[in-house]
Amino acid sequence: SKDAMSLTLHDSHRHTDRIFEVVRGGLHEPAKDVVAESWRRCLNDYQLHPDKPRVPSFLARVELEEHRARCADVIACARYEMTTLYQQLGDAESAVVLTDTNGVIVHMVSSPEFASQVGPLGLRVGGVWSETEAGTNGMGTCLAAAGPVTVQRDDHFFTQFTQLTCSAVPVFDPSGEIAAVLDVTSRSSLMQQHLLVLLGMTARMIENRLIDQRFRNAHPLHFHSRPEFVYTLHEGKLAVDDDGRILAANRSALFQLGMQSMDEVRSRRIEDLFQTSLEDMLERSSSSSFHPVVTYRANAALRFFAVMRRPAQGAVAPNATVAHAATPPLSIVPARTPSRRSRTMSMPSAAG
């Protein structure tokens, strides 16, 4: 026990020394630039120390409910996708976590065993994981860097988190602003690149749901340069009002149209983007039984396959208050044996 304690202290000092060396410029690890920049912020901007961790920070119940209410539609769009991702991972020692833009955990999917183990570290609903509170970590550093990050064990600033590995991606709202962070925290440090891809795909599904949720009265326009990608995760998606003006676009739409931001596309008309009009697209889509029809980029010879539908009027979508009230903050998914995995993955989850 005494030897174990001295070994732990030695590891702790070594971790601290490495952080100071990197921040002072003694070590350069190109792949860890995001982590090194975070360490610099922790030491220089936030005045944190790796060996002096703060007590995990939690919001009080009323304040937490206010945070969850503010991002209720994001939680409503994310919860099913989070449970699906958790089941795909098949890792009982992991959690799929959603934070708001303040780094507050607003929803989490985990096995009860893992949840009870990591809860005391602050990994539970209401825990605050901004860099200023928790140092370098997947959720907080993703927010600070505004992009995907992997923070493996010793990449964490505070020694107390070095048994965990976090991968996190931003979730953007229809205006192009970060609305949340989606994170997987695990004891395993394997397959992080694969995990970032899965997280990115899940984030895109949440973003597409969010467009549907916030623009229920708009005409959805689905398009791609390859017809087989229409109606898939990879499609471009626009929300178009009755006058043919663009209200929202997903990231795939911006990429395919060669645009850098939502500001470039917002309030443009459909005729500014494609050689068609709202009525023409609706008529042709209906005539083709909503199979993709050919259209061309305005002022260019780029061909797209597109489908437009009328607004989903009368569709029942949870309003923010109902979604919030009906969404428990923690989805407990029992740990499974591998032999059950394929059967469980194909079933719709009752968790959440």
Side-chain angles (χ1 to χ4, degrees):
S1 162
K2 192 174 179 182
D3 289 345
M5 184 174 286
S6 63
L7 184 65
T8 304
L9 284 171
H10 173 71
D11 288 345
S12 174
H13 291 318
R14 193 173 60 190
H15 178 67
T16 301
D17 290 344
R18 180 168 163 253
I19 289 175
F20 277 99
E21 282 176 22
V22 169
V23 172
R24 287 174 186 148
L27 289 174
H28 292 288
E29 301 176 59
K32 304 277 179 153
D33 277 352
V34 173
V35 170
E37 283 302 317
S38 175
W39 288 351
R40 284 189 190 95
R41 288 192 295 271
C42 292
L43 282 177
N44 300 336
D45 299 348
Y46 318 143
Q47 308 293 303
L48 303 177
H49 192 285
D51 278 346
K52 297 176 185 167
R54 296 181 176 185
V55 176
S57 176
F58 297 97
L59 293 190
R61 189 177 63 83
V62 172
E63 197 178 354
L64 172 60
E65 289 307 305
E66 288 170 357
H67 276 253
R68 295 190 77 235
R70 282 199 292 271
C71 59
D73 61 349
V74 181
I75 297 172
C77 291
R79 52 196 292 248
Y80 172 79
E81 305 298 355
M82 290 172 68
T83 300
T84 302
L85 175 60
Y86 177 80
Q87 291 173 329
Q88 285 175 334
L89 296 176
D91 178 2
E93 293 209 307
S94 70
V96 180
V97 183
L98 189 76
T99 79
D100 67 9
T101 52
N102 297 298
V104 176
I105 297 178
V106 291
H107 191 68
M108 179 168 146
V109 183
S110 175
S111 71
E113 295 84 1
F114 188 67
S116 66
Q117 290 166 22
V118 295
L121 290 175
L123 198 74
R124 65 175 171 82
V125 172
V128 184
W129 284 79
S130 60
E131 273 194 343
T132 51
E133 287 293 336
T136 306
N137 72 88
M139 296 161 274
T141 302
C142 178
L143 281 169
V149 298
T150 292
V151 178
Q152 302 209 36
R153 297 170 175 174
D154 288 339
D155 294 342
H156 285 91
F157 183 80
F158 285 130
T159 314
Q160 75 199 97
F161 301 136
T162 54
Q163 296 306 305
L164 300 172
T165 290
C166 315
S167 290
V169 298
V171 177
F172 293 93
D173 69 15
S175 66
E177 300 295 318
I178 293 178
V181 164
L182 184 66
D183 167 272
V184 170
T185 293
S186 172
R187 291 202 194 282
S188 167
S189 59
L190 301 174
M191 305 283 284
Q192 293 311 307
Q193 279 308 116
H194 174 64
L195 190 49
L196 279 178
V197 171
L198 282 178
L199 277 164
M201 291 170 67
T202 304
R204 286 166 95 169
M205 287 189 268
I206 296 168
E207 290 162 4
N208 287 344
R209 281 179 181 255
L210 209 46
I211 289 176
D212 291 340
Q213 175 99 337
R214 292 191 183 175
F215 296 94
R216 291 198 295 272
N217 297 322
H219 298 78
L221 174 65
H222 311 259
F223 71 95
H224 200 279
S225 57
R226 291 168 61 179
E228 65 269 28
F229 285 152
V230 177
Y231 294 132
T232 73
L233 177 62
H234 306 287
E235 71 175 3
K237 190 171 198 172
L238 300 174
V240 185
D241 74 6
D242 291 335
D243 296 329
R245 294 192 179 280
I246 311 300
L247 302 174
N250 68 0
R251 284 191 272 169
S252 175
L254 294 179
F255 175 76
Q256 291 188 72
L257 294 169
M259 295 180 170
Q260 302 302 311
S261 70
M262 259 308 299
D263 290 336
E264 283 187 67
V265 73
R266 194 185 288 112
S267 293
R268 289 202 189 190
R269 299 177 62 82
I270 192 169
E271 292 90 343
D272 299 330
L273 302 178
F274 300 103
Q275 296 177 26
T276 186
S277 66
L278 178 73
E279 286 309 318
D280 176 59
M281 270 310 306
L282 282 171
E283 189 179 319
R284 290 201 294 138
S285 297
S286 178
S287 298
S288 73
S289 301
F290 299 100
H291 287 92
V293 297
V294 172
T295 188
Y296 290 87
R297 183 81 163 89
N299 307 314
L302 296 173
R303 184 177 67 167
F304 291 102
F305 295 85
V307 178
M308 179 174 267
R309 294 177 175 272
R310 296 199 178 276
Q313 289 158 341
V316 179
N319 64 43
T321 312
V322 174
H324 173 234
T327 308
L330 173 64
S331 296
I332 293 293
V333 179
R336 299 183 312 280
T337 58
S339 61
R340 289 177 57 200
R341 185 182 308 171
S342 58
R343 180 163 56 91
T344 310
M345 278 174 60
S346 62
M347 293 168 58
S349 169

